[in-house]
Structure formats: structure tokens, C-alpha cells
Amino acid sequence: MIRNGMMLAALALAGCTVAGPQMVARLGADPVLSGGSYSSGGGLTVAADIREQQGRVLLCGVWAQSHQQSVLTKGKARDVMGTGAVYLGDRALARGLVFMREVPPALDYAGQEAGCVLTGQVWQAGYAETKPVIRLPRQVVHVEGDLGHFVVTFQQTGPSAGAPKATE
């Protein structure tokens, strides 16, 4: 029974990871933005774009998290990113977005140095005009108490990392 559970967990994890060479490139001038919020406050912003590389789709992205958020959500962003996916049409380009680089919150993510992955999707001319779609599933990120009296959730609501930290 334990062995079956371990094999199932390994298969589930393998289905959520990105295969293919990873590299670094700068985001283009108009990356797609999305993200979400924690029910306790604060959130994430994810920026991604695609381009042609070696005849295939190169997916690049960064993510940022709020400076102000609950202690209950500290360290949870990587878990949320691990469940995310980027789609082009009805096809998933990548599942598990942990290859993306974390950056500080910004007003504009264009030109950010991003983590990239070369996907298996063959590049088509129409992709130059197509925007990828970022999906971050709703999920429970913290449960407090034996009966789950206090639950913190993450929900995709759009860019939610907030503005850059003010410098004095």
C-alpha cells in the first residue's frame, strides 16, 4: 500500500515538472501578467512570454511576491508556482513554474532577466501574435488547528504582488 502511494506521488510530481533545457533570457516588451491573492492578504504576480528558439517555443517567466503578507504565507509561493501552468491555446506548454526566477515586485516586468524552458511545442508563425495564458489553481496553503478552524487559500485574481518597495 505504501509502495503504491509512493509510486503515485512520484508520477504526480513527474507530471507537474517541466522537461527540457532551462536557460536565461530577458522578457520582451509586453509580457503576459497574472497572479493571485492569499485570503490572508498579499499575493503573487507572474510575468511570462514566448518566442521561437531552435524551431520550438521558448517559454520565459518571472514571479514576484508581496512585501506585506501574513507570516502564514511566507515560503508558500514556491508551492503555488509548482502547481501553476502556462498554456498556448488548449495545450500546456509547461506544468510547474518553479523554473521561473523570483524578482522583486515591479510596476513593469518587461526586460526582466527570466528563467526559460525550451518546450516540446513546435513554433508556428501565428504564435508571434498569440499570448500565453498563465493558470494558478485555487488551493489551500495553510490550515491551522486539528479541525481546520483557520484556513488560508490562494486564488488566481490577477497580478497581486503590489508595487515595488519604497526606498528612502
Side-chain angles (χ1 to χ4, degrees), residues 30-38 41-48 62-68 80-81 103-110 132-136 154-164:
D30 190 24
V32 171
L33 297 179
S34 193
S37 305
Y38 298 107
L44 302 174
T45 296
V46 181
V62 298
W63 62 275
Q65 61 182 316
S66 303
H67 292 293
Q68 297 292 322
V80 171
M81 292 296 292
V103 297
L107 296 176
D108 184 7
Y109 291 89
V133 175
I134 301 165
R135 295 184 184 162
L136 300 166
F154 174 87
Q155 180 175 348
Q156 187 166 0
T157 57
S160 300

Side-chain angles (χ1 to χ4, degrees), residues 50-106:
I50 59 170
R51 63 189 71 146
E52 187 273 334
Q53 178 81 30
Q54 300 171 4
R56 299 191 324 210
V57 175
L58 180 69
L59 170 64
C60 298
V62 298
W63 62 275
Q65 61 182 316
S66 303
H67 292 293
Q68 297 292 322
Q69 60 180 299
S70 166
V71 68
L72 302 175
T73 59
K74 295 284 185 184
K76 301 296 183 182
R78 192 162 245 349
D79 296 337
V80 171
M81 292 296 292
T83 65
V86 175
Y87 282 78
L88 192 57
D90 61 355
R91 183 183 174 109
L93 291 177
R95 296 180 193 278
L97 306 180
V98 294
F99 69 90
M100 293 183 175
R101 289 184 160 205
E102 182 179 6
V103 297

Side-chain angles (χ1 to χ4, degrees), residues 110-135:
Q112 290 277 350
E113 191 172 274
C116 303
V117 65
L118 188 58
T119 71
Q121 179 68 29
V122 175
W123 181 264
Q124 296 177 20
Y127 290 167
E129 304 301 320
T130 305
K131 296 286 187 181
V133 175
I134 301 165
R135 295 184 184 162

